[in-house]
Structure formats: structure tokens, C-alpha cells
Amino acid sequence: MGGYKYAADVDSITKAQDVIKAHIHVTPVLSSESLNSIAGKSLYFKCECFQKSGAFKFRGALNAVLSLDEEEAAKGVVTHSSGNHAAALSLAAQIRGIPAYVVVPKNAPKCKVENVKRYGGQVIFSESNMKSREETAIKVSLERGAVLIPSSNDARIISGQGTLALEFLEQVPELDTLIVPISGGGLTSGTVIGAKAKNPAIRVFAAEPKGADDAAQSKACGRLITLSQTNTIADGLRASLGDLTWPIVRDLVDAVITVEDKDIVEATRYCYQILKVAIEPSAAIGLAAVLSDNFKKNPILSCSRNIGIVLSGGNADLGVLFESWKN
């Protein structure tokens, strides 16, 4: 991989797989002839919506928590998150028997806040902006001695998320393309490292909402771009790349495909009505990307035949989702 030392590699991902395997679900892979016909490709859906805590985030959070030594773990863990990482870290901490302090913005989806509480996380609300979230998390860490575990920009998180790629390619070895949602980049980074270690020829694409397209902009200009604001129904895809995830995305991800919110909503509907799987809009972006003109017109993708799509989570704010289907 160009000799560049990234935050994770296939050895760290394999080690993470050993660390977490006793506690995670090996999630199923589904397919649909109806969706294959619509896409004109063979699609394979990795259903991380059936993972513990309802999303892929549990892989990375658990690896991070179980990697702490006894002295570090004793005072607990802290993070700031508006959604799935918050619940995943709470559950991981519960499994290890340590406290989890979760800083949640006031505008977080109610269903995701309830998930944190269900798994024993101690919710601490902040203002909705990133500055408030980060400052509150640091304050909690200093006051209580808890270890700060970011949602994406962390070597242990990246390695844990990479276990998904190893598992997916064991289940469907013939995959020639993977489509992964991108936000903070932990899933994308771990997936591209794990997938290309097992099959160097595989193509890995990130999918992103046009209203939160920092990864696409960063890839286009070759430097890390951070957005001052985002606007998308995909609430799990509003974060930005970090200094650990960006080099991996920059060097190893083949391209970033952006899609409109209306296409995300339509892809979510397909998953409910055809695949019969309840997912959140962020998880539908891979299917939305495959069905988009950006995908169909990309010459790099003309030879893609067997496409793996990560359905990243199922913690949907149903009120918002159902309202979007009325429009």
C-alpha cells in the first residue's frame, strides 16, 4: 500500500477480529433479484443493521474498549456522538463493566439517545455545534479520568470496522466492488484496507450525500476539506474526515460518489419494500449510489459485476423517515 504507514493495517484488523469475535454478530448477506434487475448488477447487501447496537459501529467501539488496559478502563470511557457510536460505546462499556459517558448534541435523533440509555450510557447534552461537543467531552474526560474514544479518527476504531470487510469477503468471495457509506471515515478506512489486503484488485467506493460532501471535495482537491455546515437526511453521515482517516481515503479509496437526498430516500424505500429490511437513511446511500447516474456513467464502474453494499445501520428516526416518504 505504497509503503505509507497508516493508522491501521491488515494485521491490526485481524487482531481486532480475534478480540471482538466472541461478542459480535456475523451479520447476514442478503440479495434480491428485483434489485439486481433495477441495478443491472448483482448486488449483495451486508446487513450491519442486524449488528448488536443496531449498527457496524459496535465493531470499532468494542475493539477500542477491550483494548484498554485495566488501569485505563477502570475510570470508564467518554465520547461525543449524535448517534450510533454513542450506543455502540455504551454497549461495549457495559460488556466490560465500566462507565460510559456520552456527550450528545441537543438535536440528536430521539431514538439514538434512547439507545444510549438502554445500554447504560450516561447522557450529557451539549449544544449542537462540534466545538461544544468536543469541549464538553474533553471536560468530562479531565474531570472523571475517562478515556476519550472518538467515533472514527482512532486506530482501534478503524481496525475494528475493518473486520466487516474480512467477514464480507469470506461470505461472498466473488465481490469485485464495494460501496461503503462515508462520514468520519472509520468504516471506509478499515474496509478499504481489509478488502484490498484480501483482494488487491477489488474496487472500493465511498458514498456520500451531496449535502455533506467533504470527502468528495477533499478527494477532488487532494487536501482535507472540512465543511462549516451540512444538510442531509442522512444524520449518520454529517461528520468530517480526520487526520488518521483522510490519508487512507485519499490514497486507497477509488472514488467518492455523491447522491442527492431524494435518491437516498428512494433507496431507503426500496430496502423496506423490496429487501424487507428496516434501515436508517444513512445505510441506504450505497444502494442510492449504485442506482445513480454518477455511478452508471463512470467508466471505471462499467466492469463492476458483483457489488457489495454495506447497510451500515438500522437506528432510524421513523418520524423523520416516514415524513420524507410523503414528499
Coordinates of all heavy atoms in Angstrom, one line a residue, residues 228-289:
S228 N -18.4 23.8 7.1 CA -18.9 24.5 8.2 C -20.3 24.1 8.6 O -20.7 24.2 9.7 CB -18.8 26.0 7.9 OG -19.6 26.3 6.8
Q229 N -21.0 23.6 7.6 CA -22.4 23.1 7.9 C -22.7 22.0 6.9 O -22.2 21.9 5.8 CB -23.4 24.2 7.9 CG -23.5 25.0 6.6 CD -24.5 26.1 6.6 OE1 -24.9 26.5 7.7 NE2 -24.8 26.6 5.5
T230 N -23.7 21.2 7.2 CA -24.2 20.1 6.4 C -25.7 20.1 6.3 O -26.3 20.7 7.2 CB -23.7 18.7 6.9 OG1 -24.2 18.5 8.2 CG2 -22.2 18.6 6.9
N231 N -26.2 19.5 5.3 CA -27.7 19.5 5.1 C -28.1 18.2 4.4 O -28.0 18.1 3.2 CB -28.2 20.7 4.3 CG -29.7 20.7 4.2 OD1 -30.4 20.1 5.0 ND2 -30.2 21.5 3.2
T232 N -28.5 17.2 5.2 CA -28.9 15.9 4.6 C -29.8 15.2 5.6 O -29.6 15.3 6.8 CB -27.6 15.1 4.3 OG1 -28.1 13.8 3.8 CG2 -26.7 14.9 5.5
I233 N -30.6 14.4 5.1 CA -31.5 13.5 5.9 C -30.7 12.4 6.5 O -31.1 11.8 7.5 CB -32.6 12.9 5.0 CG1 -33.7 12.2 5.9 CG2 -32.1 11.9 4.0 CD1 -34.9 11.7 5.2
A234 N -29.5 12.1 5.9 CA -28.7 11.0 6.5 C -27.9 11.5 7.7 O -26.7 12.0 7.6 CB -27.7 10.5 5.4
D235 N -28.5 11.5 8.8 CA -27.9 12.1 10.0 C -26.6 11.4 10.5 O -25.8 12.0 11.2 CB -28.9 12.1 11.2 CG -29.3 10.7 11.6 OD1 -28.7 10.2 12.5 OD2 -30.3 10.2 11.1
G236 N -26.4 10.2 10.1 CA -25.2 9.5 10.4 C -24.0 9.8 9.5 O -22.9 9.3 9.7
L237 N -24.2 10.7 8.5 CA -23.2 11.0 7.5 C -22.8 12.5 7.5 O -22.5 13.0 6.5 CB -23.6 10.5 6.1 CG -23.9 9.0 6.0 CD1 -24.3 8.7 4.6 CD2 -22.8 8.1 6.4
R238 N -22.9 13.1 8.7 CA -22.6 14.5 8.8 C -21.3 14.9 9.4 O -20.9 16.0 9.4 CB -23.7 15.2 9.6 CG -25.1 15.1 8.9 CD -26.2 15.6 9.9 NE -27.5 15.5 9.3 CZ -28.7 15.5 10.0 NH1 -28.6 15.7 11.3 NH2 -29.8 15.4 9.4
A239 N -20.5 13.9 9.8 CA -19.2 14.1 10.4 C -18.2 14.3 9.3 O -18.4 14.2 8.1 CB -18.8 13.0 11.2
S240 N -17.0 14.8 9.7 CA -15.9 15.0 8.7 C -14.7 14.1 8.9 O -14.5 13.5 10.0 CB -15.4 16.5 9.0 OG -16.4 17.4 8.7
L241 N -14.0 13.9 7.9 CA -12.7 13.1 8.0 C -11.7 13.7 8.9 O -11.7 14.9 9.2 CB -12.1 12.9 6.6 CG -12.9 12.2 5.5 CD1 -12.3 12.4 4.1 CD2 -13.1 10.8 5.8
G242 N -10.9 12.8 9.5 CA -9.8 13.3 10.4 C -8.5 13.0 9.9 O -8.3 12.5 8.8
D243 N -7.5 13.4 10.7 CA -6.1 13.2 10.2 C -5.6 11.8 10.0 O -4.6 11.5 9.4 CB -5.1 14.0 11.1 CG -5.1 13.5 12.5 OD1 -6.1 12.9 13.0 OD2 -4.1 13.7 13.2
L244 N -6.3 10.8 10.7 CA -6.0 9.4 10.5 C -6.7 8.8 9.4 O -6.2 7.9 8.6 CB -6.2 8.7 11.8 CG -5.4 9.1 13.0 CD1 -5.8 8.2 14.2 CD2 -3.9 9.1 12.8
T245 N -8.0 9.2 9.2 CA -8.8 8.5 8.2 C -8.6 9.2 6.8 O -8.6 8.4 5.8 CB -10.3 8.6 8.5 OG1 -10.7 10.0 8.7 CG2 -10.6 7.8 9.8
W246 N -8.3 10.4 6.7 CA -8.1 11.1 5.4 C -7.0 10.5 4.6 O -7.2 10.2 3.4 CB -7.9 12.6 5.6 CG -7.2 13.3 4.5 CD1 -6.1 14.0 4.5 CD2 -7.7 13.4 3.1 NE1 -5.8 14.5 3.2 CE2 -6.8 14.1 2.4 CE3 -8.8 12.8 2.4 CZ2 -6.9 14.4 1.0 CZ3 -9.0 13.1 1.1 CH2 -8.0 13.9 0.4
P247 N -5.8 10.2 5.1 CA -4.7 9.6 4.2 C -5.1 8.3 3.6 O -4.8 8.0 2.5 CB -3.5 9.5 5.2 CG -3.8 10.5 6.3 CD -5.3 10.5 6.5
I248 N -5.9 7.5 4.4 CA -6.3 6.2 3.8 C -7.4 6.4 2.7 O -7.3 5.8 1.7 CB -6.9 5.4 5.0 CG1 -5.9 5.1 6.1 CG2 -7.4 4.0 4.4 CD1 -6.5 4.5 7.4
V249 N -8.3 7.3 3.0 CA -9.3 7.6 1.9 C -8.6 8.2 0.7 O -8.9 7.8 -0.4 CB -10.4 8.6 2.5 CG1 -11.3 9.0 1.4 CG2 -11.2 7.9 3.6
R250 N -7.7 9.2 1.0 CA -7.0 9.8 -0.1 C -6.3 8.8 -1.0 O -6.3 8.9 -2.3 CB -6.0 10.8 0.5 CG -5.1 11.5 -0.5 CD -4.0 12.3 0.2 NE -3.1 11.3 0.8 CZ -2.3 11.6 1.9 NH1 -2.4 12.8 2.4 NH2 -1.5 10.6 2.4
D251 N -5.6 7.9 -0.4 CA -4.7 7.0 -1.2 C -5.3 5.7 -1.7 O -4.9 5.2 -2.7 CB -3.5 6.6 -0.3 CG -2.6 7.8 0.1 OD1 -2.8 8.9 -0.5 OD2 -1.8 7.7 1.1
L252 N -6.3 5.2 -1.0 CA -6.8 3.8 -1.3 C -8.2 3.8 -1.8 O -8.5 2.8 -2.5 CB -6.7 3.0 0.0 CG -5.3 2.9 0.6 CD1 -5.3 2.0 1.8 CD2 -4.2 2.3 -0.4
V253 N -9.1 4.7 -1.5 CA -10.4 4.6 -2.0 C -10.4 5.1 -3.4 O -9.8 6.1 -3.8 CB -11.4 5.6 -1.2 CG1 -12.7 5.7 -1.8 CG2 -11.5 5.0 0.3
D254 N -11.1 4.3 -4.3 CA -11.0 4.5 -5.7 C -11.8 5.8 -6.1 O -11.3 6.5 -7.0 CB -11.6 3.3 -6.5 CG -10.7 2.1 -6.4 OD1 -9.8 2.0 -7.2 OD2 -10.9 1.3 -5.4
A255 N -12.9 6.1 -5.5 CA -13.6 7.3 -5.8 C -14.7 7.5 -4.8 O -15.1 6.6 -4.0 CB -14.2 7.3 -7.2
V256 N -15.2 8.8 -4.7 CA -16.3 9.1 -3.8 C -17.5 9.4 -4.7 O -17.4 10.3 -5.6 CB -16.0 10.2 -2.8 CG1 -17.2 10.6 -2.0 CG2 -14.8 9.9 -2.0
I257 N -18.6 8.8 -4.5 CA -19.8 9.0 -5.3 C -20.8 9.8 -4.4 O -21.1 9.4 -3.3 CB -20.5 7.7 -5.7 CG1 -19.5 6.9 -6.5 CG2 -21.7 7.9 -6.5 CD1 -19.9 5.4 -6.7
T258 N -21.3 10.9 -4.9 CA -22.2 11.7 -4.1 C -23.6 11.6 -4.7 O -23.8 11.4 -5.9 CB -21.8 13.2 -4.2 OG1 -21.8 13.7 -5.5 CG2 -20.5 13.5 -3.5
V259 N -24.6 11.6 -3.8 CA -26.0 11.4 -4.2 C -26.9 12.4 -3.5 O -26.6 12.9 -2.4 CB -26.5 10.0 -4.0 CG1 -25.8 9.0 -4.8 CG2 -26.4 9.6 -2.5
E260 N -28.0 12.7 -4.2 CA -29.0 13.7 -3.6 C -29.8 13.0 -2.5 O -30.0 11.8 -2.5 CB -29.9 14.2 -4.7 CG -29.2 14.9 -5.8 CD -28.9 16.4 -5.5 OE1 -29.2 16.8 -4.3 OE2 -28.3 17.0 -6.3
D261 N -30.4 13.8 -1.6 CA -31.2 13.2 -0.5 C -32.4 12.5 -1.1 O -32.8 11.5 -0.5 CB -31.7 14.3 0.4 CG -30.7 14.5 1.6 OD1 -29.5 14.1 1.5 OD2 -31.2 15.1 2.6
K262 N -33.0 13.0 -2.2 CA -34.2 12.3 -2.7 C -33.8 10.9 -3.2 O -34.7 10.0 -3.1 CB -34.7 13.1 -3.9 CG -33.8 13.3 -5.1 CD -34.5 14.1 -6.2 CE -33.6 14.3 -7.4 NZ -33.2 13.0 -8.0
D263 N -32.6 10.7 -3.6 CA -32.2 9.4 -4.0 C -31.9 8.5 -2.8 O -32.2 7.2 -2.9 CB -31.0 9.4 -4.9 CG -31.2 10.2 -6.2 OD1 -32.3 10.0 -6.8 OD2 -30.4 11.1 -6.6
I264 N -31.5 9.1 -1.8 CA -31.3 8.3 -0.5 C -32.6 7.9 0.0 O -32.8 6.7 0.4 CB -30.6 9.2 0.5 CG1 -29.1 9.5 0.1 CG2 -30.5 8.4 1.9 CD1 -28.4 10.5 1.0
V265 N -33.6 8.8 0.0 CA -35.0 8.4 0.5 C -35.6 7.3 -0.4 O -36.2 6.3 0.1 CB -35.9 9.7 0.4 CG1 -37.3 9.3 0.6 CG2 -35.4 10.7 1.4
E266 N -35.4 7.4 -1.7 CA -35.9 6.3 -2.6 C -35.2 5.0 -2.4 O -35.9 3.9 -2.3 CB -35.7 6.8 -4.1 CG -36.4 5.8 -5.1 CD -37.9 5.7 -5.0 OE1 -38.5 6.6 -4.3 OE2 -38.5 4.8 -5.6
A267 N -33.9 5.0 -2.1 CA -33.2 3.8 -1.9 C -33.6 3.2 -0.5 O -33.7 1.9 -0.4 CB -31.7 4.0 -1.9
T268 N -33.9 4.0 0.4 CA -34.4 3.5 1.7 C -35.8 2.8 1.5 O -36.0 1.8 2.1 CB -34.6 4.7 2.7 OG1 -33.3 5.4 2.8 CG2 -35.0 4.2 4.1
R269 N -36.6 3.4 0.7 CA -37.9 2.8 0.4 C -37.7 1.5 -0.3 O -38.4 0.5 0.1 CB -38.7 3.8 -0.5 CG -40.1 3.3 -0.7 CD -40.7 4.0 -2.0 NE -40.7 5.4 -1.8 CZ -41.7 6.1 -1.3 NH1 -42.8 5.5 -0.8 NH2 -41.7 7.4 -1.2
Y270 N -36.8 1.3 -1.2 CA -36.5 0.0 -1.8 C -36.1 -1.0 -0.8 O -36.5 -2.2 -0.9 CB -35.4 0.2 -2.8 CG -35.8 0.7 -4.2 CD1 -34.9 1.6 -4.9 CD2 -36.9 0.3 -4.8 CE1 -35.3 2.1 -6.1 CE2 -37.3 0.8 -6.1 CZ -36.4 1.7 -6.7 OH -36.8 2.2 -8.0
C271 N -35.3 -0.6 0.2 CA -34.8 -1.6 1.2 C -36.0 -2.0 2.0 O -36.1 -3.2 2.4 CB -33.7 -1.0 2.1 SG -32.1 -0.8 1.2
Y272 N -36.9 -1.1 2.4 CA -38.1 -1.5 3.2 C -39.0 -2.4 2.3 O -39.5 -3.4 2.8 CB -38.8 -0.3 3.7 CG -38.3 0.3 4.9 CD1 -37.0 0.9 5.0 CD2 -39.0 0.2 6.1 CE1 -36.5 1.5 6.2 CE2 -38.5 0.8 7.3 CZ -37.3 1.4 7.3 OH -36.8 1.9 8.5
Q273 N -39.3 -2.0 1.1 CA -40.4 -2.6 0.3 C -39.9 -3.8 -0.4 O -40.7 -4.8 -0.6 CB -41.0 -1.6 -0.7 CG -41.7 -0.4 0.0 CD -42.3 0.6 -1.0 OE1 -41.9 0.6 -2.1 NE2 -43.2 1.4 -0.5
I274 N -38.7 -3.9 -0.9 CA -38.2 -5.0 -1.7 C -37.3 -5.9 -0.9 O -37.5 -7.1 -0.9 CB -37.5 -4.5 -2.9 CG1 -38.4 -3.7 -3.8 CG2 -36.9 -5.7 -3.8 CD1 -37.8 -3.0 -5.0
L275 N -36.3 -5.4 -0.2 CA -35.4 -6.2 0.5 C -36.0 -6.6 1.9 O -35.5 -7.6 2.5 CB -34.1 -5.4 0.8 CG -32.8 -6.2 1.0 CD1 -32.5 -7.2 -0.1 CD2 -31.6 -5.3 1.3
K276 N -37.0 -5.9 2.3 CA -37.7 -6.2 3.6 C -36.8 -6.0 4.8 O -36.8 -6.8 5.8 CB -38.3 -7.6 3.6 CG -39.1 -8.0 2.4 CD -40.3 -7.0 2.2 CE -41.1 -7.5 1.0 NZ -42.1 -6.5 0.6
V277 N -35.9 -5.0 4.7 CA -35.0 -4.7 5.8 C -35.2 -3.2 6.3 O -35.3 -2.3 5.5 CB -33.5 -4.9 5.3 CG1 -32.6 -4.4 6.4 CG2 -33.3 -6.3 5.0
A278 N -35.4 -3.1 7.6 CA -35.6 -1.7 8.2 C -34.2 -1.1 8.5 O -33.5 -1.6 9.3 CB -36.4 -1.8 9.5
I279 N -33.9 0.0 7.7 CA -32.6 0.6 7.9 C -32.8 2.1 8.1 O -33.9 2.6 7.9 CB -31.7 0.4 6.6 CG1 -32.4 1.0 5.4 CG2 -31.3 -1.1 6.5 CD1 -31.5 1.1 4.2
E280 N -31.8 2.8 8.5 CA -31.8 4.3 8.5 C -31.3 4.8 7.2 O -30.6 4.1 6.4 CB -30.9 4.8 9.7 CG -29.5 4.3 9.6 CD -28.7 4.6 10.9 OE1 -28.2 5.7 11.0 OE2 -28.6 3.7 11.7
P281 N -31.7 6.1 6.8 CA -31.3 6.6 5.5 C -29.8 6.6 5.2 O -29.4 6.3 4.1 CB -31.8 8.1 5.6 CG -33.0 8.0 6.5 CD -32.6 7.0 7.6
S282 N -29.0 6.8 6.3 CA -27.5 6.7 6.0 C -27.1 5.4 5.4 O -26.1 5.3 4.6 CB -26.8 7.0 7.4 OG -27.1 8.2 7.9
A283 N -27.8 4.3 5.8 CA -27.4 3.0 5.4 C -27.8 2.7 4.0 O -27.3 1.8 3.3 CB -28.1 1.9 6.3
A284 N -28.8 3.5 3.4 CA -29.3 3.3 2.1 C -28.4 4.0 1.0 O -28.6 3.8 -0.2 CB -30.7 3.8 2.0
I285 N -27.4 4.7 1.4 CA -26.7 5.5 0.5 C -25.9 4.7 -0.5 O -25.7 5.1 -1.7 CB -25.8 6.6 1.2 CG1 -25.3 7.6 0.2 CG2 -24.6 5.9 1.8 CD1 -24.8 8.9 0.8
G286 N -25.4 3.5 -0.1 CA -24.7 2.6 -1.1 C -25.6 2.2 -2.2 O -25.2 2.2 -3.4
L287 N -26.9 1.8 -1.9 CA -27.8 1.5 -3.0 C -28.1 2.7 -3.8 O -28.2 2.6 -5.0 CB -29.1 0.9 -2.4 CG -30.2 0.5 -3.4 CD1 -29.7 -0.5 -4.4 CD2 -31.4 0.0 -2.6
A288 N -28.3 3.8 -3.2 CA -28.6 5.1 -3.9 C -27.5 5.4 -4.9 O -27.7 5.8 -6.0 CB -28.8 6.2 -2.9
A289 N -26.2 5.1 -4.4 CA -25.1 5.4 -5.3 C -25.1 4.5 -6.5 O -24.8 4.9 -7.6 CB -23.8 5.2 -4.5

